[in-house]
Amino acid sequence: MFRLSRRLLKGPLFQRAVSPARQYTQSNFLLLDSTEKIEEETLPWYSQERFYPVKIGEIFQSRYQVVGKLGFGAYSTVQHMYVTLKVCERDSPEGIREMEVYGHLKAVKTRHGGAMLVRSALNAFQIGSPKGNYRCLIHPPLGISLFDFRNQPAAKVLPENILKLTLLHLLLALDFLHTEAGIVHTDIQEKNIMFGIEDNSILTDFEEGEKSNPSPRKIVGDQVIYASRKLGRTKHHGRPVLCDFGQARFGLTKYCGDIQPYIYRAPEVLLRMPWDQKVDIWNVAVVTWDLFQKGHLFYARDQNKQNSDSHHLAEMIALLRPPPKDMLRQSEYASEFSDSEDASMATGRERIGKKSVIRSMVEVTINR
């Protein structure tokens, strides 16, 4: 899917008198060199015509006004009483899927505690253009991602008490998705887990900052590309929330095909076998390593630093021993691998032999 850059919007959630539109300066800003690529332009698959050219100050649906840009993402552009507007890539299949997931979640009647730990959509609409439609989702605002939160301290790891609380919330969210909503997420990573906002002053400060010191930008034709403005830091973070459903699947059945961030792929995905909701649990276990250790559990790269299924499997075997024979017999792809990965496995044993705590957790996961 197109992961969304984040733009902050102002918009009412309930019926009330219409507020006047905010006015933003169109002159007092730093104009960047139009020939140098910035932000979303640096993505290898970026295409200007496939992204809606959102402008600061622009108003959507007579309700939502853009007040600034928080960042950018890989597959779409996001824009933040304050709400977040996701503007998906034009005619994006992932955008369609995500809208369907949020529609489904909204219809689920539940008292499950994990439901509040999954991002919700307040509204949805489309922006039409001669070239196609841009699907938009309105969300409650969220703050810093788990990735950015972890990279704030000098240690670059989560303290054990915060890690335990985060895992408790994440597993509760997945229990709701799997048991009551019938959804497999398939894309669990630090950047898709975000903290709620307890201190609304950071949203107000964000807007006032854009007014007094407009974001640097570049102009390419009729499109404006803004440099990101970060939310201010706060000591009061809300609960972690699982986001981004552009790769999700409906129904607790068997699926086929590539999913998951490469280093977090489950064995059945690597072996090109049918998979189900259990891949989310594997995903959580491997992400846990990244949160608690300085480095990845699996690197999955060959000597040329290229993604490699064989090296990935060798690392798994070095840590967890070979997969069950029944599993290998069910995979036609498994026959393409031999025992020639001894060097990679030895390296894996040396690197992770001392990590018994996380190893035990992953062993439990694979025996789920």
Side-chain angles (χ1 to χ4, degrees), residues 254 260 265-276 278-279 282 313 316-317 320-335 337 365-368:
K254 292 289 186 179
Q260 300 181 302
R265 286 184 176 177
E268 51 266 53
V269 177
L270 280 178
L271 293 170
R272 302 181 185 178
M273 298 171 58
W275 49 266
D276 57 21
K278 295 176 183 178
V279 298
W282 172 276
L313 288 167
M316 289 181 179
I317 292 170
L320 300 171
R321 302 181 297 277
K325 292 182 179 179
D326 288 346
M327 184 178 188
L328 294 176
R329 280 195 290 266
Q330 296 175 46
S331 170
E332 296 180 2
Y333 189 48
S335 63
F337 303 102
T365 301
I366 198 168
N367 291 324
R368 60 197 182 277

mmCIF file of all heavy atoms in Angstrom, residues 254 260 265-276 278-279 282 313 316-317 320-335 337 365-368:
data_model
loop_
_atom_site.group_PDB
_atom_site.id
_atom_site.type_symbol
_atom_site.label_atom_id
_atom_site.label_comp_id
_atom_site.label_asym_id
_atom_site.label_seq_id
_atom_site.Cartn_x
_atom_site.Cartn_y
_atom_site.Cartn_z
ATOM 1 N N LYS A 254 -6.786 -19.629 4.602
ATOM 2 C CA LYS A 254 -5.424 -19.762 4.096
ATOM 3 C C LYS A 254 -5.237 -18.847 2.885
ATOM 4 O O LYS A 254 -6.109 -18.754 2.022
ATOM 5 C CB LYS A 254 -5.139 -21.217 3.693
ATOM 6 C CG LYS A 254 -5.092 -22.187 4.871
ATOM 7 C CD LYS A 254 -3.845 -21.976 5.719
ATOM 8 C CE LYS A 254 -3.725 -23.042 6.804
ATOM 9 N NZ LYS A 254 -2.506 -22.866 7.631
ATOM 10 N N GLN A 260 4.449 -9.083 4.341
ATOM 11 C CA GLN A 260 5.316 -8.721 5.462
ATOM 12 C C GLN A 260 6.611 -8.033 5.010
ATOM 13 O O GLN A 260 7.145 -8.324 3.944
ATOM 14 C CB GLN A 260 5.665 -9.963 6.297
ATOM 15 C CG GLN A 260 4.440 -10.654 6.879
ATOM 16 C CD GLN A 260 4.795 -11.860 7.718
ATOM 17 O OE1 GLN A 260 5.434 -12.787 7.247
ATOM 18 N NE2 GLN A 260 4.360 -11.853 8.973
ATOM 19 N N ARG A 265 9.458 -11.712 7.641
ATOM 20 C CA ARG A 265 8.630 -12.738 7.010
ATOM 21 C C ARG A 265 8.660 -14.055 7.783
ATOM 22 O O ARG A 265 9.714 -14.509 8.226
ATOM 23 C CB ARG A 265 9.082 -12.975 5.567
ATOM 24 C CG ARG A 265 8.664 -11.840 4.642
ATOM 25 C CD ARG A 265 9.017 -12.100 3.193
ATOM 26 N NE ARG A 265 8.508 -11.031 2.358
ATOM 27 C CZ ARG A 265 8.708 -10.936 1.051
ATOM 28 N NH1 ARG A 265 9.423 -11.868 0.428
ATOM 29 N NH2 ARG A 265 8.200 -9.925 0.373
ATOM 30 N N ALA A 266 7.490 -14.654 7.890
ATOM 31 C CA ALA A 266 7.362 -15.935 8.569
ATOM 32 C C ALA A 266 7.899 -17.054 7.674
ATOM 33 O O ALA A 266 7.959 -16.913 6.450
ATOM 34 C CB ALA A 266 5.892 -16.186 8.899
ATOM 35 N N PRO A 267 8.293 -18.204 8.255
ATOM 36 C CA PRO A 267 8.846 -19.305 7.450
ATOM 37 C C PRO A 267 7.924 -19.762 6.332
ATOM 38 O O PRO A 267 8.373 -20.026 5.211
ATOM 39 C CB PRO A 267 9.053 -20.418 8.486
ATOM 40 C CG PRO A 267 9.208 -19.702 9.782
ATOM 41 C CD PRO A 267 8.334 -18.496 9.687
ATOM 42 N N GLU A 268 6.612 -19.847 6.602
ATOM 43 C CA GLU A 268 5.689 -20.316 5.561
ATOM 44 C C GLU A 268 5.602 -19.334 4.395
ATOM 45 O O GLU A 268 5.354 -19.734 3.250
ATOM 46 C CB GLU A 268 4.294 -20.600 6.140
ATOM 47 C CG GLU A 268 3.702 -19.479 6.970
ATOM 48 C CD GLU A 268 3.965 -19.640 8.449
ATOM 49 O OE1 GLU A 268 5.143 -19.814 8.828
ATOM 50 O OE2 GLU A 268 2.991 -19.572 9.230
ATOM 51 N N VAL A 269 5.825 -18.047 4.667
ATOM 52 C CA VAL A 269 5.836 -17.060 3.583
ATOM 53 C C VAL A 269 7.111 -17.225 2.757
ATOM 54 O O VAL A 269 7.064 -17.227 1.517
ATOM 55 C CB VAL A 269 5.742 -15.627 4.148
ATOM 56 C CG1 VAL A 269 5.839 -14.597 3.021
ATOM 57 C CG2 VAL A 269 4.440 -15.442 4.917
ATOM 58 N N LEU A 270 8.248 -17.395 3.425
ATOM 59 C CA LEU A 270 9.517 -17.599 2.722
ATOM 60 C C LEU A 270 9.492 -18.862 1.868
ATOM 61 O O LEU A 270 10.035 -18.891 0.762
ATOM 62 C CB LEU A 270 10.670 -17.690 3.720
ATOM 63 C CG LEU A 270 11.222 -16.390 4.284
ATOM 64 C CD1 LEU A 270 12.315 -16.692 5.292
ATOM 65 C CD2 LEU A 270 11.765 -15.500 3.181
ATOM 66 N N LEU A 271 8.857 -19.915 2.382
ATOM 67 C CA LEU A 271 8.802 -21.191 1.669
ATOM 68 C C LEU A 271 7.655 -21.252 0.667
ATOM 69 O O LEU A 271 7.389 -22.301 0.092
ATOM 70 C CB LEU A 271 8.694 -22.336 2.674
ATOM 71 C CG LEU A 271 9.933 -22.555 3.549
ATOM 72 C CD1 LEU A 271 9.643 -23.549 4.676
ATOM 73 C CD2 LEU A 271 11.105 -23.021 2.703
ATOM 74 N N ARG A 272 6.975 -20.128 0.477
ATOM 75 C CA ARG A 272 5.891 -19.996 -0.501
ATOM 76 C C ARG A 272 4.788 -21.016 -0.264
ATOM 77 O O ARG A 272 4.284 -21.664 -1.189
ATOM 78 C CB ARG A 272 6.452 -20.117 -1.927
ATOM 79 C CG ARG A 272 7.533 -19.065 -2.209
ATOM 80 C CD ARG A 272 8.091 -19.143 -3.609
ATOM 81 N NE ARG A 272 9.193 -18.193 -3.779
ATOM 82 C CZ ARG A 272 9.902 -18.059 -4.901
ATOM 83 N NH1 ARG A 272 9.605 -18.810 -5.954
ATOM 84 N NH2 ARG A 272 10.881 -17.185 -4.961
ATOM 85 N N MET A 273 4.432 -21.129 0.990
ATOM 86 C CA MET A 273 3.357 -22.028 1.407
ATOM 87 C C MET A 273 2.123 -21.214 1.777
ATOM 88 O O MET A 273 2.211 -20.001 1.979
ATOM 89 C CB MET A 273 3.817 -22.841 2.623
ATOM 90 C CG MET A 273 5.000 -23.745 2.383
ATOM 91 S SD MET A 273 5.617 -24.450 3.924
ATOM 92 C CE MET A 273 4.131 -25.303 4.506
ATOM 93 N N PRO A 274 0.959 -21.849 1.858
ATOM 94 C CA PRO A 274 -0.220 -21.136 2.357
ATOM 95 C C PRO A 274 0.018 -20.644 3.780
ATOM 96 O O PRO A 274 0.714 -21.293 4.568
ATOM 97 C CB PRO A 274 -1.317 -22.210 2.320
ATOM 98 C CG PRO A 274 -0.860 -23.182 1.276
ATOM 99 C CD PRO A 274 0.634 -23.224 1.405
ATOM 100 N N TRP A 275 -0.528 -19.485 4.113
ATOM 101 C CA TRP A 275 -0.347 -18.907 5.438
ATOM 102 C C TRP A 275 -1.672 -18.368 5.960
ATOM 103 O O TRP A 275 -2.637 -18.200 5.207
ATOM 104 C CB TRP A 275 0.704 -17.796 5.418
ATOM 105 C CG TRP A 275 0.530 -16.772 4.330
ATOM 106 C CD1 TRP A 275 1.110 -16.765 3.097
ATOM 107 C CD2 TRP A 275 -0.316 -15.612 4.368
ATOM 108 N NE1 TRP A 275 0.700 -15.685 2.358
ATOM 109 C CE2 TRP A 275 -0.169 -14.951 3.116
ATOM 110 C CE3 TRP A 275 -1.164 -15.059 5.325
ATOM 111 C CZ2 TRP A 275 -0.863 -13.776 2.801
ATOM 112 C CZ3 TRP A 275 -1.848 -13.891 5.024
ATOM 113 C CH2 TRP A 275 -1.689 -13.263 3.766
ATOM 114 N N ASP A 276 -1.727 -18.091 7.258
ATOM 115 C CA ASP A 276 -2.945 -17.561 7.872
ATOM 116 C C ASP A 276 -2.571 -16.520 8.926
ATOM 117 O O ASP A 276 -1.463 -15.982 8.906
ATOM 118 C CB ASP A 276 -3.797 -18.691 8.461
ATOM 119 C CG ASP A 276 -3.032 -19.528 9.488
ATOM 120 O OD1 ASP A 276 -2.023 -19.035 10.032
ATOM 121 O OD2 ASP A 276 -3.440 -20.680 9.737
ATOM 122 N N LYS A 278 -1.541 -16.641 11.791
ATOM 123 C CA LYS A 278 -0.399 -16.923 12.661
ATOM 124 C C LYS A 278 0.854 -16.151 12.231
ATOM 125 O O LYS A 278 1.766 -15.951 13.037
ATOM 126 C CB LYS A 278 -0.117 -18.416 12.683
ATOM 127 C CG LYS A 278 -1.252 -19.232 13.318
ATOM 128 C CD LYS A 278 -0.969 -20.715 13.230
ATOM 129 C CE LYS A 278 -2.126 -21.524 13.799
ATOM 130 N NZ LYS A 278 -1.890 -22.983 13.667
ATOM 131 N N VAL A 279 0.899 -15.730 10.970
ATOM 132 C CA VAL A 279 2.080 -14.972 10.530
ATOM 133 C C VAL A 279 2.199 -13.658 11.296
ATOM 134 O O VAL A 279 3.312 -13.136 11.467
ATOM 135 C CB VAL A 279 2.048 -14.711 9.007
ATOM 136 C CG1 VAL A 279 2.070 -16.017 8.222
ATOM 137 C CG2 VAL A 279 0.848 -13.863 8.609
ATOM 138 N N TRP A 282 4.250 -14.431 14.468
ATOM 139 C CA TRP A 282 5.680 -14.507 14.137
ATOM 140 C C TRP A 282 6.249 -13.100 13.973
ATOM 141 O O TRP A 282 7.314 -12.765 14.486
ATOM 142 C CB TRP A 282 5.880 -15.314 12.858
ATOM 143 C CG TRP A 282 7.300 -15.280 12.352
ATOM 144 C CD1 TRP A 282 7.882 -14.316 11.581
ATOM 145 C CD2 TRP A 282 8.327 -16.237 12.621
ATOM 146 N NE1 TRP A 282 9.205 -14.610 11.341
ATOM 147 C CE2 TRP A 282 9.501 -15.791 11.961
ATOM 148 C CE3 TRP A 282 8.365 -17.438 13.335
ATOM 149 C CZ2 TRP A 282 10.699 -16.495 12.017
ATOM 150 C CZ3 TRP A 282 9.559 -18.139 13.380
ATOM 151 C CH2 TRP A 282 10.718 -17.659 12.729
ATOM 152 N N LEU A 313 16.566 -18.160 5.563
ATOM 153 C CA LEU A 313 16.246 -19.472 6.107
ATOM 154 C C LEU A 313 17.413 -20.045 6.901
ATOM 155 O O LEU A 313 17.226 -20.698 7.929
ATOM 156 C CB LEU A 313 15.859 -20.429 4.970
ATOM 157 C CG LEU A 313 14.484 -20.160 4.337
ATOM 158 C CD1 LEU A 313 14.333 -20.943 3.038
ATOM 159 C CD2 LEU A 313 13.370 -20.533 5.310
ATOM 160 N N MET A 316 17.344 -18.598 10.285
ATOM 161 C CA MET A 316 16.277 -19.205 11.085
ATOM 162 C C MET A 316 16.706 -20.571 11.613
ATOM 163 O O MET A 316 16.479 -20.917 12.779
ATOM 164 C CB MET A 316 15.011 -19.342 10.246
ATOM 165 C CG MET A 316 14.313 -18.038 9.932
ATOM 166 S SD MET A 316 12.806 -18.327 8.963
ATOM 167 C CE MET A 316 12.198 -16.652 8.773
ATOM 168 N N ILE A 317 17.331 -21.371 10.735
ATOM 169 C CA ILE A 317 17.764 -22.710 11.124
ATOM 170 C C ILE A 317 18.848 -22.631 12.191
ATOM 171 O O ILE A 317 18.875 -23.427 13.137
ATOM 172 C CB ILE A 317 18.262 -23.486 9.886
ATOM 173 C CG1 ILE A 317 17.076 -23.789 8.953
ATOM 174 C CG2 ILE A 317 18.947 -24.792 10.288
ATOM 175 C CD1 ILE A 317 17.475 -24.335 7.604
ATOM 176 N N LEU A 320 16.706 -21.740 15.345
ATOM 177 C CA LEU A 320 15.553 -22.550 15.751
ATOM 178 C C LEU A 320 15.612 -24.011 15.321
ATOM 179 O O LEU A 320 14.654 -24.740 15.554
ATOM 180 C CB LEU A 320 14.266 -21.922 15.176
ATOM 181 C CG LEU A 320 13.976 -20.502 15.630
ATOM 182 C CD1 LEU A 320 12.825 -19.913 14.838
ATOM 183 C CD2 LEU A 320 13.654 -20.476 17.113
ATOM 184 N N ARG A 321 16.711 -24.403 14.669
ATOM 185 C CA ARG A 321 16.845 -25.739 14.104
ATOM 186 C C ARG A 321 16.002 -25.859 12.832
ATOM 187 O O ARG A 321 15.170 -24.994 12.556
ATOM 188 C CB ARG A 321 16.454 -26.815 15.123
ATOM 189 C CG ARG A 321 17.264 -26.778 16.409
ATOM 190 C CD ARG A 321 16.831 -27.883 17.363
ATOM 191 N NE ARG A 321 15.452 -27.740 17.796
ATOM 192 C CZ ARG A 321 15.064 -26.967 18.787
ATOM 193 N NH1 ARG A 321 15.943 -26.239 19.451
ATOM 194 N NH2 ARG A 321 13.792 -26.903 19.122
ATOM 195 N N PRO A 322 16.179 -26.907 12.026
ATOM 196 C CA PRO A 322 15.456 -27.029 10.748
ATOM 197 C C PRO A 322 13.946 -27.085 10.953
ATOM 198 O O PRO A 322 13.465 -27.554 11.997
ATOM 199 C CB PRO A 322 15.994 -28.340 10.164
ATOM 200 C CG PRO A 322 17.320 -28.523 10.811
ATOM 201 C CD PRO A 322 17.181 -27.980 12.197
ATOM 202 N N PRO A 323 13.190 -26.637 9.960
ATOM 203 C CA PRO A 323 11.731 -26.735 10.042
ATOM 204 C C PRO A 323 11.296 -28.196 10.090
ATOM 205 O O PRO A 323 12.035 -29.090 9.660
ATOM 206 C CB PRO A 323 11.249 -26.066 8.744
ATOM 207 C CG PRO A 323 12.410 -25.264 8.269
ATOM 208 C CD PRO A 323 13.636 -25.981 8.717
ATOM 209 N N PRO A 324 10.105 -28.486 10.577
ATOM 210 C CA PRO A 324 9.596 -29.862 10.578
ATOM 211 C C PRO A 324 9.585 -30.433 9.157
ATOM 212 O O PRO A 324 9.311 -29.724 8.192
ATOM 213 C CB PRO A 324 8.174 -29.706 11.129
ATOM 214 C CG PRO A 324 8.199 -28.433 11.905
ATOM 215 C CD PRO A 324 9.161 -27.534 11.190
ATOM 216 N N LYS A 325 9.878 -31.724 9.049
ATOM 217 C CA LYS A 325 9.935 -32.363 7.726
ATOM 218 C C LYS A 325 8.602 -32.271 7.003
ATOM 219 O O LYS A 325 8.558 -32.121 5.778
ATOM 220 C CB LYS A 325 10.383 -33.810 7.870
ATOM 221 C CG LYS A 325 11.836 -33.954 8.322
ATOM 222 C CD LYS A 325 12.248 -35.417 8.398
ATOM 223 C CE LYS A 325 13.717 -35.534 8.824
ATOM 224 N NZ LYS A 325 14.137 -36.954 8.917
ATOM 225 N N ASP A 326 7.512 -32.388 7.744
ATOM 226 C CA ASP A 326 6.192 -32.280 7.114
ATOM 227 C C ASP A 326 6.017 -30.923 6.454
ATOM 228 O O ASP A 326 5.427 -30.804 5.377
ATOM 229 C CB ASP A 326 5.081 -32.488 8.152
ATOM 230 C CG ASP A 326 4.969 -33.939 8.594
ATOM 231 O OD1 ASP A 326 5.557 -34.807 7.909
ATOM 232 O OD2 ASP A 326 4.315 -34.193 9.620
ATOM 233 N N MET A 327 6.541 -29.894 7.097
ATOM 234 C CA MET A 327 6.448 -28.545 6.542
ATOM 235 C C MET A 327 7.253 -28.444 5.250
ATOM 236 O O MET A 327 6.780 -27.879 4.257
ATOM 237 C CB MET A 327 6.951 -27.527 7.570
ATOM 238 C CG MET A 327 6.825 -26.074 7.150
ATOM 239 S SD MET A 327 7.386 -24.964 8.474
ATOM 240 C CE MET A 327 6.900 -23.371 7.777
ATOM 241 N N LEU A 328 8.456 -28.991 5.253
ATOM 242 C CA LEU A 328 9.300 -28.939 4.060
ATOM 243 C C LEU A 328 8.681 -29.719 2.906
ATOM 244 O O LEU A 328 8.790 -29.318 1.742
ATOM 245 C CB LEU A 328 10.690 -29.473 4.379
ATOM 246 C CG LEU A 328 11.518 -28.634 5.367
ATOM 247 C CD1 LEU A 328 12.843 -29.327 5.666
ATOM 248 C CD2 LEU A 328 11.764 -27.245 4.801
ATOM 249 N N ARG A 329 8.028 -30.833 3.222
ATOM 250 C CA ARG A 329 7.414 -31.645 2.155
ATOM 251 C C ARG A 329 6.264 -30.907 1.481
ATOM 252 O O ARG A 329 5.951 -31.152 0.318
ATOM 253 C CB ARG A 329 6.931 -32.979 2.723
ATOM 254 C CG ARG A 329 8.039 -34.020 2.888
ATOM 255 C CD ARG A 329 7.458 -35.398 3.100
ATOM 256 N NE ARG A 329 6.829 -35.529 4.401
ATOM 257 C CZ ARG A 329 7.443 -36.001 5.487
ATOM 258 N NH1 ARG A 329 8.715 -36.371 5.421
ATOM 259 N NH2 ARG A 329 6.802 -36.084 6.634
ATOM 260 N N GLN A 330 5.639 -29.999 2.199
ATOM 261 C CA GLN A 330 4.513 -29.260 1.636
ATOM 262 C C GLN A 330 4.953 -28.077 0.784
ATOM 263 O O GLN A 330 4.126 -27.435 0.140
ATOM 264 C CB GLN A 330 3.614 -28.749 2.767
ATOM 265 C CG GLN A 330 2.947 -29.840 3.578
ATOM 266 C CD GLN A 330 2.183 -29.268 4.757
ATOM 267 O OE1 GLN A 330 1.442 -28.287 4.623
ATOM 268 N NE2 GLN A 330 2.342 -29.869 5.931
ATOM 269 N N SER A 331 6.269 -27.769 0.796
ATOM 270 C CA SER A 331 6.780 -26.619 0.051
ATOM 271 C C SER A 331 7.609 -27.078 -1.142
ATOM 272 O O SER A 331 8.674 -27.682 -0.981
ATOM 273 C CB SER A 331 7.644 -25.756 0.979
ATOM 274 O OG SER A 331 8.338 -24.776 0.238
ATOM 275 N N GLU A 332 7.126 -26.768 -2.350
ATOM 276 C CA GLU A 332 7.906 -27.073 -3.546
ATOM 277 C C GLU A 332 9.163 -26.216 -3.611
ATOM 278 O O GLU A 332 10.189 -26.625 -4.152
ATOM 279 C CB GLU A 332 7.051 -26.852 -4.800
ATOM 280 C CG GLU A 332 5.841 -27.783 -4.894
ATOM 281 C CD GLU A 332 5.019 -27.526 -6.144
ATOM 282 O OE1 GLU A 332 5.440 -26.651 -6.943
ATOM 283 O OE2 GLU A 332 3.970 -28.176 -6.313
ATOM 284 N N TYR A 333 9.099 -25.044 -3.030
ATOM 285 C CA TYR A 333 10.221 -24.112 -3.067
ATOM 286 C C TYR A 333 11.377 -24.590 -2.184
ATOM 287 O O TYR A 333 12.536 -24.276 -2.434
ATOM 288 C CB TYR A 333 9.741 -22.747 -2.594
ATOM 289 C CG TYR A 333 10.723 -21.607 -2.760
ATOM 290 C CD1 TYR A 333 11.407 -21.394 -3.955
ATOM 291 C CD2 TYR A 333 10.948 -20.713 -1.708
ATOM 292 C CE1 TYR A 333 12.292 -20.331 -4.102
ATOM 293 C CE2 TYR A 333 11.829 -19.643 -1.842
ATOM 294 C CZ TYR A 333 12.498 -19.462 -3.041
ATOM 295 O OH TYR A 333 13.374 -18.419 -3.182
ATOM 296 N N ALA A 334 11.085 -25.384 -1.150
ATOM 297 C CA ALA A 334 12.114 -25.825 -0.214
ATOM 298 C C ALA A 334 13.193 -26.661 -0.896
ATOM 299 O O ALA A 334 14.353 -26.668 -0.465
ATOM 300 C CB ALA A 334 11.477 -26.626 0.919
ATOM 301 N N SER A 335 12.833 -27.359 -1.967
ATOM 302 C CA SER A 335 13.799 -28.215 -2.659
ATOM 303 C C SER A 335 14.919 -27.409 -3.317
ATOM 304 O O SER A 335 15.950 -27.969 -3.692
ATOM 305 C CB SER A 335 13.087 -29.064 -3.713
ATOM 306 O OG SER A 335 12.496 -28.233 -4.703
ATOM 307 N N PHE A 337 16.716 -25.270 -1.867
ATOM 308 C CA PHE A 337 17.745 -24.967 -0.882
ATOM 309 C C PHE A 337 18.450 -26.245 -0.471
ATOM 310 O O PHE A 337 17.857 -27.299 -0.326
ATOM 311 C CB PHE A 337 17.124 -24.302 0.355
ATOM 312 C CG PHE A 337 16.367 -23.050 0.030
ATOM 313 C CD1 PHE A 337 14.990 -23.050 -0.041
ATOM 314 C CD2 PHE A 337 17.045 -21.877 -0.234
ATOM 315 C CE1 PHE A 337 14.287 -21.896 -0.359
ATOM 316 C CE2 PHE A 337 16.351 -20.716 -0.547
ATOM 317 C CZ PHE A 337 14.977 -20.735 -0.615
ATOM 318 N N THR A 365 6.752 -19.102 19.780
ATOM 319 C CA THR A 365 5.952 -18.581 18.680
ATOM 320 C C THR A 365 5.866 -19.563 17.523
ATOM 321 O O THR A 365 4.789 -19.830 16.983
ATOM 322 C CB THR A 365 6.575 -17.261 18.158
ATOM 323 O OG1 THR A 365 6.604 -16.342 19.235
ATOM 324 C CG2 THR A 365 5.731 -16.687 17.035
ATOM 325 N N ILE A 366 7.010 -20.147 17.137
ATOM 326 C CA ILE A 366 6.990 -21.048 15.991
ATOM 327 C C ILE A 366 6.268 -22.348 16.295
ATOM 328 O O ILE A 366 5.787 -23.028 15.406
ATOM 329 C CB ILE A 366 8.429 -21.341 15.492
ATOM 330 C CG1 ILE A 366 8.377 -21.892 14.066
ATOM 331 C CG2 ILE A 366 9.148 -22.313 16.398
ATOM 332 C CD1 ILE A 366 9.721 -21.935 13.395
ATOM 333 N N ASN A 367 6.139 -22.687 17.580
ATOM 334 C CA ASN A 367 5.400 -23.882 17.976
ATOM 335 C C ASN A 367 3.947 -23.569 18.290
ATOM 336 O O ASN A 367 3.249 -24.404 18.861
ATOM 337 C CB ASN A 367 6.063 -24.514 19.209
ATOM 338 C CG ASN A 367 7.400 -25.116 18.892
ATOM 339 O OD1 ASN A 367 7.584 -25.665 17.818
ATOM 340 N ND2 ASN A 367 8.344 -25.031 19.827
ATOM 341 N N ARG A 368 3.497 -22.383 17.919
ATOM 342 C CA ARG A 368 2.145 -21.926 18.248
ATOM 343 C C ARG A 368 1.082 -22.869 17.694
ATOM 344 O O ARG A 368 1.287 -23.505 16.689
ATOM 345 C CB ARG A 368 1.917 -20.525 17.687
ATOM 346 C CG ARG A 368 2.055 -20.428 16.169
ATOM 347 C CD ARG A 368 2.217 -18.990 15.729
ATOM 348 N NE ARG A 368 2.296 -18.894 14.275
ATOM 349 C CZ ARG A 368 3.405 -19.089 13.564
ATOM 350 N NH1 ARG A 368 4.532 -19.388 14.174
ATOM 351 N NH2 ARG A 368 3.395 -18.976 12.238
#
